Amino acid sequence: MTRVPPSEGPVNVGRLMSAPPVTVTPDVSLAEATRRMAEAAVGSLLVVEDGALRGIVTDRDLALRGLGEGLPLGSRVDAVMSPRVVTLDAGDELHAAYRAFRRTGVRRLPVLDGGRPVGVLTLDDLLLDVFLRLADLLGPVAWSVLREPPGPP
């Protein structure tokens, strides 16, 4: 009988999130927010004031609510941000993240630790985790199909 090694335990949100988050204050201009997104190669910014999360602004918010509504580039980011934000705790297990994404339909969730923003978990982060787990699962199957033993040559 072959024993299966014990799992590494539950995966917490903090292990998969992107950290630290890219943040701006509510008074930052749309132009500056766009520049920061481009520099950091991210699709969202957390809007933080005095260490507390005040909202989130996405590339879609900038395009549709900002430029699409004719706001000047000097307008404040709090004019287009989403102030009601669904968040996760860094210690939450991954299944809580799946539920939150399913329930809300958003693509990015800020992650908090002690009420302070510490990262962002995206749908892409979850998909990458799923693909890696699937690859781990399918590795031995692929080897048996190829009729080659697993492991180094």
Side-chain angles (χ1 to χ4, degrees):
M1 178 192 260
T2 305
R3 289 194 144 209
V4 176
S7 72
E8 57 192 57
V11 176
N12 291 339
V13 167
R15 221 169 107 194
L16 294 182
M17 70 181 184
S18 299
V22 183
T23 64
V24 293
T25 56
D27 61 340
V28 164
S29 71
L30 300 182
E32 176 65 13
T34 303
R35 186 184 67 71
R36 287 196 193 171
M37 272 189 203
E39 282 178 356
V42 295
S44 67
L45 302 169
L46 300 187
V47 182
V48 176
E49 188 173 42
D50 298 324
L53 181 66
R54 299 291 181 224
I56 188 170
V57 62
T58 67
D59 46 8
R60 184 173 172 87
D61 295 331
L62 292 171
L64 299 180
R65 292 185 195 162
L67 299 177
E69 299 277 324
L71 292 179
L73 289 175
S75 299
R76 292 169 47 120
V77 77
D78 59 0
V80 299
M81 73 178 192
S82 298
R84 300 185 71 198
V85 184
V86 176
T87 63
L88 296 167
D89 186 79
D92 286 344
E93 291 184 19
L94 224 42
H95 64 83
Y98 279 94
R99 276 196 315 271
F101 278 115
R102 234 184 357 258
R103 190 180 76 245
T104 62
V106 298
R107 296 183 47 83
R108 302 164 184 96
L109 292 171
V111 180
L112 307 178
D113 187 12
R116 301 256 185 219
V118 293
V120 176
L121 185 72
T122 68
L123 262 181
D124 292 347
D125 295 329
L126 291 185
L127 287 173
L128 182 58
D129 182 61
V130 167
F131 290 142
L132 290 173
R133 289 171 185 261
L134 188 58
D136 286 345
L137 178 65
L138 292 178
V141 173
W143 281 112
S144 68
V145 169
L146 294 172
R147 297 178 195 263
E148 293 182 23

